[in-house]
Amino acid sequence: MDEIMDLMEIAEERIRQYLPEDYEMDDVSWCDTGFRIPIFCVRTIEDSMKGSVDSFSFFLDKDDTDAENMERFNRRLQDFCKGWRDVT
């Protein structure tokens, strides 16, 4: 569980750098093998009530080595951050 929490914290820190001012992460969920970080538009109260506009999720693959899981995590997180765009 500690490994997932560490990865989740890393993901939150990296994603935060790419989010526009009117977006934030909330309602994060996790289990022993993975997590999900929803992103919400908070421009207005109505926007924030619509639900998440995007999310990042990651789950460990028990058939992969630790190194393979870390490589996949870093690649997916990098792709997510590079692909983030303001949804308007």
Side-chain angles (χ1 to χ4, degrees), residues 18-40:
Y18 291 89
L19 292 181
E21 187 175 307
D22 295 339
Y23 290 79
E24 62 183 47
M25 296 172 276
D26 198 8
D27 295 334
V28 175
S29 58
W30 66 90
C31 63
D32 288 344
T33 59
F35 60 88
R36 181 177 176 268
I37 303 172
I39 299 171
F40 296 84

Side-chain angles (χ1 to χ4, degrees), residues 10 17-18 26 31 46 56 66 68-70 73 87-88:
I10 291 168
Q17 298 173 32
Y18 291 89
D26 198 8
C31 63
E46 292 80 16
F56 176 78
D66 288 346
E68 290 170 328
N69 274 309
M70 283 305 298
F73 169 76
V87 180
T88 56

